[in-house]
Amino acid sequence: MLLEALGSAVLGLALAWAAVLRLPHRLPSRVLVLSTGVAGALFGAFVTHTALEAGHLLVVLAGALIVSAASLSLLLRPAERFRRRSATA
């Protein structure tokens, strides 16, 4: 269980760091992004481990990666070129 938690936290941190490097103009502060990536990965590992029980390390890490990516996607802001002005503006 400790290996699952540590591995998922590292995966979440790596995914968040890649997002910060790749999309800095569309994300809020770096601290928020990194902590969201780790927290999402830990929550995903917890949910996957609870659903499957012990003995499925790779599946638990995959669940952690999926939930971390979903959490990070909620932080994305729209790109400037896709913003439209409202009719009243």
Side-chain angles (χ1 to χ4, degrees):
M1 174 115 170
L2 183 63
L3 185 61
E4 291 173 353
L6 186 61
S8 64
V10 169
L11 275 176
L13 187 63
L15 184 65
W17 187 258
V20 164
L21 291 179
R22 179 86 171 114
L23 302 166
H25 58 284
R26 294 187 59 194
L27 290 169
S29 71
R30 180 177 294 176
V31 174
L32 178 66
V33 173
L34 294 177
S35 61
T36 301
V38 172
L42 288 173
F43 182 69
F46 170 71
V47 169
T48 310
H49 177 81
T50 302
L52 297 177
E53 296 297 325
H56 302 282
L57 178 64
L58 294 178
V59 178
V60 168
L61 292 178
L65 196 62
I66 289 168
V67 174
S68 178
S71 299
L72 288 172
S73 73
L74 295 174
L75 295 177
L76 285 174
R77 294 183 289 217
E80 292 293 327
R81 61 183 168 184
F82 294 124
R83 282 195 185 165
R84 295 183 186 167
R85 293 186 177 220
S86 65
T88 59

